[in-house]
Amino acid sequence: PRHSWRVLKPTGCGECSQTGFKGRTTICELLMVDAELRREIKRGRDERDLERFAREAGMTSLYQSGVAKVLRGETT
């Protein structure tokens, strides 16, 4: 099914010095190295294979993290 997402645009006020942003947030990519991934690293797997293993284990990419925060309205 298609989703209709509403992407917000920042609007300024006196509290945010007209920037539309207040405070800070992170957009990050965190790779947790578990026993399986460690084994693949030791086998000499290339970067693409390691990334695939990590994503299959639930790693969220930097891009996915940013998009998720935009869609939740946490940033623009």
Side-chain angles (χ1 to χ4, degrees), residues 31-66:
L31 173 61
M32 300 297 288
V33 180
D34 61 8
E36 183 180 350
L37 187 56
R38 186 173 290 110
R39 190 170 35 253
E40 297 303 322
I41 292 168
K42 287 180 179 179
R43 288 182 179 167
R45 298 283 189 165
D46 68 21
E47 183 180 338
R48 288 182 189 168
D49 285 338
L50 294 175
E51 183 175 355
R52 183 173 50 80
F53 285 118
R55 287 182 191 271
E56 288 172 0
M59 183 187 88
T60 301
S61 73
L62 187 64
Y63 179 81
Q64 290 169 321
S65 176

Side-chain angles (χ1 to χ4, degrees), residues 4 27 30-31 38 60 69:
S4 176
I27 297 174
L30 177 63
L31 173 61
R38 186 173 290 110
T60 301
K69 289 198 176 205

